[in-house]
Amino acid sequence: MKLTIERAKQWMRKYNEQIQEQKTYLTELDQAIGDGDHGLNMARGFEEVIKKIESTNYTSLDALFKDVAMTLISKVGGASGPLYGTAFLRFATSLKSEKEADRTNLAEGLNAALEGIKVRGKAHAGDKTMIDVWEPVVNYVRTESVITGRKLAQLAKEKMEETKDMEAKMGRASYLGKRSIGYIDPGAASSYLLFASLADCFEKGELQ
Amino acid sequence: MDKVSIVLVSHSYDIVKGLKSLLNQVQPDVSIAIAGGDGGGIGTSAPAILEAIESVYTEKGVVVLFDLGSALLNTEMAMEMLGEERRIKIADAPLIEGAYAGVVEAGFGHSLEEVVYACEHAKDVQKINR
């Protein structure tokens, strides 16, 4: 399948549903090791994202994802606004003004988004952040010849769960040191939902 | 002569509002803008920071001071949105003491680099001589 404008909207709709459903859970994760607003912030941001993209007719993917980015930057507080905002902004820039993206474009776009997250957050793999989900997922999309939705979602889930045993090196959670061990990172959890929603949009479960 | 302007970024509007009043009393000739809170609540917002910077921007430059964690991410985001050719620097300084030192330095008409140095140096000043 290709990522068309309609499918991109579908991805954002599914993600919004997931975020709204899981906002209490995400907030609980953040209360354990952060400042306790991740779920609420993301829910507020994506509600606005959906309003914006449903009321706009897009002729290119970059225009759509730029709107997603700008909405998140202006509506989501904390670290997640600039981090997800930067990710979608870089994703949009990489996709340029194309109407659809194939697997290679998508892999490049996701990689550009990951690089943006790294630059903005100054974090690395193993720091117990969203990068611990993003990096392996992006590598999977870039290197495997056949990408299936099922595997993509499964990988994202595994990587999210692995953050549970890590010690936080970034953000508020890092002040807790070893006490941050035992909790899933909230950014890793919301990133898992993002990729699970993308995986859900694949036709016949396969991306070519 | 133009002076370097100061932007104060905090998770709380009340914090920077109070700090601005304090600094205005110390040095009324320096332009100070504030970006505090996020949509009326606690947090920081890149568009609000961008707006604050724009409101006091001069060719001489703007120094931004912030309180905690994600305030830095949002300030960097705002600076990226403003473009690289602008004379804006973030000071790695304690918000109150740094801003106090910065506003005094800016009041003398000193350069952006000197104001940033003054802000950052405030970190090393011992408050109690033990």
Side-chain angles (χ1 to χ4, degrees):
Chain A
M1 71 150 235
K2 284 183 173 167
L3 186 69
T4 59
I5 288 169
E6 189 38 53
R7 206 163 264 134
K9 281 193 176 182
Q10 196 191 337
W11 177 19
M12 293 296 105
R13 269 181 222 127
K14 279 188 186 289
Y15 188 44
N16 179 50
E17 284 166 19
Q18 289 287 308
I19 288 289
Q20 302 302 334
E21 258 173 47
Q22 305 289 333
K23 72 177 172 192
T24 311
Y25 165 69
L26 290 172
T27 293
E28 279 165 7
L29 289 179
D30 200 28
Q31 277 164 349
I33 56 170
D35 50 6
D37 57 3
H38 188 54
L40 298 172
N41 277 339
M42 291 292 279
R44 188 179 55 175
F46 273 90
E47 200 180 316
E48 294 294 328
V49 163
I50 296 304
K51 267 190 216 161
K52 177 70 193 171
I53 65 172
E54 297 293 20
S55 61
T56 313
N57 281 320
Y58 294 100
T59 53
S60 70
L61 284 170
D62 71 326
L64 191 160
F65 286 112
K66 240 169 224 157
D67 274 357
V68 172
M70 294 318 288
T71 307
L72 295 178
I73 289 164
S74 55
K75 300 289 178 193
V76 184
S80 35
L83 289 170
Y84 277 103
T86 303
F88 280 107
L89 205 56
R90 300 287 172 96
F91 187 61
T93 310
S94 170
L95 295 177
K96 302 192 186 74
S97 52
E98 302 294 338
K99 282 190 183 348
E100 52 180 38
D102 62 13
R103 208 199 84 188
T104 312
N105 304 141
L106 183 67
E108 278 171 16
L110 290 176
N111 192 49
L114 168 64
E115 290 306 316
I117 293 169
K118 285 181 173 174
V119 169
R120 178 73 60 227
K122 301 169 191 79
H124 307 279
D127 287 348
K128 194 181 179 102
T129 71
M130 62 200 290
I131 291 170
D132 292 311
V133 169
W134 275 78
E135 197 162 78
V137 166
V138 171
N139 284 341
Y140 169 68
V141 178
R142 285 176 90 193
T143 53
E144 292 295 315
S145 51
V146 181
I147 307 296
T148 69
R150 194 181 54 82
K151 274 194 187 167
L152 181 77
Q154 200 176 11
L155 176 66
K157 189 164 195 245
E158 272 168 29
K159 294 298 166 186
M160 167 190 75
E161 281 164 357
E162 282 174 20
T163 65
K164 194 168 174 176
D165 298 327
M166 294 178 183
E167 182 181 336
K169 303 284 183 210
M170 294 300 295
R172 201 75 61 93
S174 65
Y175 300 153
L176 298 173
K178 292 213 183 301
R179 280 179 292 140
S180 65
I181 297 171
Y183 301 93
I184 287 171
D185 174 65
S190 60
S191 296
Y192 155 64
L193 295 176
L194 179 70
F195 291 117
S197 307
L198 175 64
D200 264 4
C201 298
F202 290 2
E203 225 169 35
K204 296 173 196 159
E206 200 169 296
L207 178 71
Q208 280 158 351
Chain B
M1 194 171 81
D2 249 0
K3 291 178 170 54
V4 170
S5 301
I6 291 177
V7 171
L8 308 169
V9 179
S10 170
H11 281 63
S12 154
Y13 174 73
D14 291 332
I15 287 178
V16 279
K17 183 175 169 258
L19 181 56
K20 182 179 187 297
S21 313
L22 175 75
L23 299 178
N24 281 338
Q25 196 181 57
V26 174
Q27 177 45 273
D29 299 335
V30 172
S31 302
I32 300 168
I34 60 174
D38 179 23
I42 295 292
T44 55
S45 138
I49 298 166
L50 188 151
E51 203 179 303
I53 294 172
E54 286 276 38
S55 75
V56 292
Y57 188 81
T58 73
E59 287 300 306
K60 187 114 184 186
V62 173
V63 53
V64 186
L65 293 104
F66 67 97
D67 61 356
L68 301 165
S70 55
L72 175 63
L73 297 190
N74 274 314
T75 303
E76 287 172 339
M77 184 95 236
M79 283 173 62
E80 203 171 290
M81 289 157 86
L82 281 159
E84 276 171 9
E85 71 284 4
R86 303 293 197 97
R87 284 185 55 74
I88 305 162
K89 284 195 188 295
I90 305 174
D92 180 5
L95 183 60
I96 297 174
E97 284 85 353
Y100 184 91
V103 82
V104 171
E105 193 76 11
F108 290 130
H110 290 171
S111 72
L112 179 60
E113 287 70 23
E114 286 168 315
V115 176
V116 170
Y117 180 82
C119 294
E120 295 188 341
H121 185 63
K123 208 168 15 186
D124 311 323
V125 175
Q126 246 184 312
K127 295 213 279 189
I128 301 178
N129 227 339
R130 288 207 169 95

